[in-house]
Amino acid sequence: LWRLGYCARLLKTNHFRTAASNTSFPAVWMLLAQHSGRIPGLFVVVKKSTFFTMPETVEDKTNPELYLPHPGVRGMTLLNREAFKRTVVVPALKVKKEIVHRVLKSLKHSVLQRPGLKRVVEDPEDEDSRFVILDPHKVLEFSLGESEQQVLKQLSVHPEVCEYHLELTYENFKSEEILRAVLPQGQEVTSGFSRVGHIAHLNLRDHQLPYRHLIGQVIMDKNPGITCVVNKTNIIDSTYRNFEMEVLAGENNLVTKVKENNISYELDFSKVYWNPRLSTEHGRVVELLKAGDVLFDVFAGIGPFAIPAAKRHCRVFANDLNPESYTWLLHNCKLNKVATKVKAFNMDGRDFLRGPVREELSKELPLLKEEQKTAFHIVMNLPALAVEFLDVFRHLLVGEPCSPAGLPTVHCYGFSKHSDPARDIQERAEATLGTSLAGRCSTFLVRNVAPNKEMLCLSFQIPADVLYKRPCP
């Protein structure tokens, strides 16, 4: 019985694996014989019948190139929209205009569904008739199936499918289709981008650079509201976290307005750091805060942690070394009416931790009582370097430790290319702090930055023996 069941699974598996290559039944018979030793007669009869009644693979007769732009655009570097025009032959039905709606409803799975193309067009030779355009990928060989023909007969429509010459223009093609037609065959097509207000931010690869202005214009054409397209030309500077960029298309206006988690920010994208992919992470950390908590934002940027925290009635100390970021941080605090709740600083991160942060903790922590619920959070969102700043916490305060519940919680971000990124960032943090965090920390995977490169957030309460230096007797 065990062999019988095994052979049945084996037959099913190998049939589906090899049906497309026309595997013959004798070959499967021999395969079964090899694994089972002997094949009962009843088993052979049943399986022979089952094998020949299984559905065959249907040949795909669709034409994937039907909606591609004119092949003459290959290699174009200066956008010429007229060159994309192309006429294709598609199936169509000629119907009286008064029953067009009923035909569309009855043949909803067979009519053309492509966005931007009309499914109903006028008949230039008969004003009382219309052409209903059918999907050439579903109406193969210009012939409808029996069920569709029966439906048309009930509507008194002649089921004969005619040829319609459909003109496609630049406006009818998607950005991916345009770029795939223009770039050399076999090369990667990048049509994705980060949107920052009216700006589209691209990271083009070297092979795409000769086509960069065309790519920028296509992105702007196909995405309403985009009026400027830029390409990053160097890596992010670790000091001020900005990068050089080239305007590929549109206006040279890089001052923009964005909205994240229902909060508005204004910024100069060429001078400050802003990443729309971090909105979920900003929201996650802010949700950990309660009214009355204290947030120290060491690398605050223009305020994506600080401002929503202030909106939750937290006391906020926000710092950034970049003078431009500091200016826009102040501006956005006023814009969101939280200027009185945020103390802003333009300092180096270490100086901020050893100055305002140490001063505030030294003043607040000794006053904490067991029943008080105030929590202190320190956010360090500088993934390239933040782990290296953790040594500042070693003996940052002097005196007897406060209650364990009052110890500040650090949210430290970092990059890792390690096969075990969580363990990697924890070990690096432990080496900088000089203590073990085993069982005292959590790691959150923020996002994949590049192949084999992860961005993570390590959260932990600073151990009392690290934070405090006890005075000598």
Side-chain angles (χ1 to χ4, degrees), residues 195-200 220 225-229 251-258:
R195 181 163 185 168
V196 183
H198 67 276
I199 303 169
M220 195 166 68
I226 295 293
T227 58
C228 176
V229 182
E251 60 186 3
N252 191 3
N253 174 22
L254 298 175
V255 175
T256 187
K257 187 172 184 175
V258 298

Side-chain angles (χ1 to χ4, degrees), residues 193-236:
F193 58 88
S194 295
R195 181 163 185 168
V196 183
H198 67 276
I199 303 169
H201 169 218
L202 306 176
N203 287 324
L204 297 180
R205 301 187 182 277
D206 291 341
H207 72 270
Q208 297 167 332
L209 293 179
Y211 308 90
R212 62 189 184 278
H213 294 292
L214 180 144
I215 293 173
Q217 189 63 54
V218 171
I219 294 297
M220 195 166 68
D221 289 346
K222 298 297 179 178
N223 295 274
I226 295 293
T227 58
C228 176
V229 182
V230 301
N231 179 48
K232 184 170 71 174
T233 57
N234 71 340
I235 61 174
I236 294 177

Side-chain angles (χ1 to χ4, degrees), residues 4-21 23 28 31-32 35 43 47 50-51 54:
L4 201 62
Y6 173 74
C7 292
R9 292 194 300 273
L10 187 66
L11 176 60
K12 183 177 180 181
T13 302
N14 281 279
H15 166 69
F16 282 113
R17 188 179 297 164
T18 59
S21 24
T23 302
V28 181
L31 185 64
L32 283 172
H35 286 275
F43 175 79
K47 285 299 164 184
T50 306
F51 178 87
M54 287 183 180

Side-chain angles (χ1 to χ4, degrees), residues 69 81-87 114 117 166-174 178 222:
R81 296 175 182 84
E82 290 295 314
F84 286 83
K85 282 186 177 179
R86 184 181 181 187
T87 301
R114 186 177 172 87
L117 291 179
L166 180 65
E167 184 180 68
L168 302 175
T169 65
Y170 172 82
E171 285 71 26
N172 299 131
F173 299 113
K174 303 172 186 176
I178 292 173
K222 298 297 179 178

Side-chain angles (χ1 to χ4, degrees), residues 33 91 114 127 149 199 277 427 453 455:
R114 186 177 172 87
E127 62 179 16
Q149 293 187 30
I199 303 169
R277 294 187 177 94
E427 289 178 350
K453 184 178 181 180
M455 178 179 175

